[in-house]
Amino acid sequence: MRQRSLTAVVLAAVLAASTGCTVERHWGGNTNTGGSGKAKVGLVTKTDTNPYFVELRNAARAAAQANGADFSALAGQFDGDNDGQVRAIENLRQQGANTILITPSSSTGVLKAIKDARDAGVLVIALDTATEPADAVDATFATDNFAAGEGQGAYVKAALKGVPPKLLMVDGTAGSTVDTQRHGGFLKGIGLTDSSPEIKGHTAANGDQSLAQQGMENLLQRSTDINAVYSMNEPMGRGAYAALNARGLTGQIVMGSIDGGCEGVQNVKNGQFAATVMQFPKKMAEQGVLAAVEYAKTGKKPSGFVNTGSAVITDKPLPGVESHDSAWGLQNCWGGKK
């Protein structure tokens, strides 16, 4: 018996090493479908180092502990690691998860693994990032990213006070759902389209601060006659700001961003960003775990898109744009207080 247990431990270690995923904790047992009693929640994030996903993971773990659910967390090794997320889903199924919460690196890259899990009776909920099609999962708990982008655009438009925009755009990963929705929402909020001549250039930086700085430096070689900057998330906003600051242009720019991390709110307080739009990963995680507990108890599944909300954060409030100041933002931000 002791030899069998030792063999199982060794096999589990080999399996974890072969997945290429990061592992937080495992549990034993087989898959339990809804209505069987105890919730066994598996979380798959894009990475396990991004502060946003750290906040989401910590909130999910706390909610699971508070509600008597087992919890395990895995992650891809980098943003865009679809293969790693597929292995994570398969690993969690082997561990007996009856609910899988996932932030898909790609809206389409893990659909086969999700379908296999659902076919086996596992409840699958997308957090933060929707799948395509949306009904590839049972439900999605996420920010309405189009609305978040629209909030940023509306603020930048109001801050320009009637002056026509001369806009540079720093986008995320081309083709991703979040990038597409935030980009489109921003343009609606500021009153432009992709073909508008007011857009003087754009660059894609895959969410990376260094790439955003480099991309902005390239754009500024063409022209410095700009007055507005869109950034798809706060790290890229900081990269763009560094390039603008090196050129002495920050005083003529209205810059907005999206995320609501504590560092991003501090950027608002320090005047680097005119505004950011806060999202709430803690709500996503908590609501996902509560749905898992309900499913385990009763077999009832959630469905559709659940908007966990967003809020404009600025210390320069403007008429027509509902907002909170940075003091409120620092009380409600994610990623650790600065």
Side-chain angles (χ1 to χ4, degrees):
M1 188 66 174
R2 291 183 61 188
Q3 180 61 42
R4 183 180 298 175
S5 300
L6 178 60
T7 301
V9 170
V10 171
L11 288 174
V14 170
L15 176 61
S18 65
T19 59
C21 306
T22 54
V23 180
E24 181 179 273
R25 186 171 77 82
H26 285 183
W27 63 73
N30 298 318
T31 298
N32 297 312
T33 57
S36 60
K38 189 176 182 64
K40 295 188 174 183
V41 184
L43 173 68
V44 182
T45 51
K46 296 179 183 179
T47 72
D48 67 353
T49 55
N50 183 308
Y52 181 85
F53 297 119
V54 171
E55 175 82 7
L56 192 145
R57 183 184 64 208
N58 290 344
R61 184 198 303 113
Q65 291 175 344
N67 289 278
D70 286 339
F71 178 75
S72 182
L74 302 176
Q77 292 191 316
F78 54 88
D79 196 339
D81 182 14
N82 293 324
D83 290 342
Q85 289 203 317
V86 168
R87 290 192 294 271
I89 292 171
E90 293 170 347
N91 194 343
L92 290 170
R93 286 186 57 197
Q94 291 170 356
Q95 295 175 46
N98 48 29
T99 293
I100 293 177
L101 310 175
I102 181 168
T103 61
S105 279
S106 161
S107 59
T108 59
V110 296
L111 297 188
K112 176 62 167 58
I114 289 174
K115 181 180 184 303
D116 290 345
R118 294 181 71 192
D119 288 347
V122 177
L123 170 66
V124 181
I125 298 174
L127 303 181
D128 177 66
T129 303
T131 56
E132 293 181 8
D135 62 3
V137 292
D138 292 290
T140 301
F141 297 167
T143 305
D144 182 336
N145 282 296
F146 189 91
E150 189 173 7
Q152 183 190 162
Y155 183 87
V156 172
K157 180 179 182 179
L160 289 174
K161 299 179 179 178
V163 176
K166 300 174 184 177
L167 175 68
L168 294 180
M169 303 189 73
V170 183
D171 292 306
T173 302
S176 76
T177 306
V178 173
D179 177 72
T180 301
Q181 292 175 344
R182 291 184 183 182
H183 178 104
F186 177 86
L187 290 180
K188 180 182 179 184
I190 199 172
L192 301 176
T193 69
D194 275 313
S195 59
S196 296
E198 290 88 348
I199 301 175
K200 304 302 179 184
H202 55 82
T203 185
N206 298 332
D208 182 85
Q209 182 169 336
S210 296
L211 290 177
Q213 181 174 350
Q214 181 180 355
M216 179 59 71
E217 288 169 350
N218 292 338
L219 290 173
L220 293 176
Q221 289 179 3
R222 303 178 197 170
S223 175
T224 58
D225 184 22
I226 56 173
N227 59 14
V229 170
Y230 158 83
S231 62
M232 182 264 190
N233 71 9
E234 289 167 352
M236 293 194 299
R238 286 189 282 274
Y241 182 89
L244 293 162
N245 192 45
R247 291 270 191 147
L249 298 172
T250 54
Q252 70 185 54
I253 302 296
V254 179
M255 173 178 282
S257 197
I258 299 175
D259 265 345
C262 295
E263 187 173 0
V265 175
Q266 192 67 51
N267 294 144
V268 172
K269 185 176 181 180
N270 294 343
Q272 296 175 24
F273 300 159
T276 192
V277 181
M278 180 176 287
Q279 51 183 343
F280 302 96
K282 184 179 178 182
K283 285 185 181 179
M284 301 173 197
E286 291 175 343
Q287 293 182 19
V289 170
L290 290 177
V293 171
E294 176 70 18
Y295 176 62
K297 288 181 178 178
T298 68
K300 181 181 178 181
K301 294 182 176 180
S303 62
F305 180 86
V306 178
N307 179 16
T308 51
S310 61
V312 175
I313 307 297
T314 181
D315 286 331
K316 298 177 181 178
L318 294 167
V321 182
E322 184 178 351
S323 65
H324 297 279
D325 63 18
S326 62
W328 185 93
L330 288 171
Q331 291 177 345
N332 293 277
C333 62
W334 51 264
K337 306 295 186 289
K338 300 294 179 182

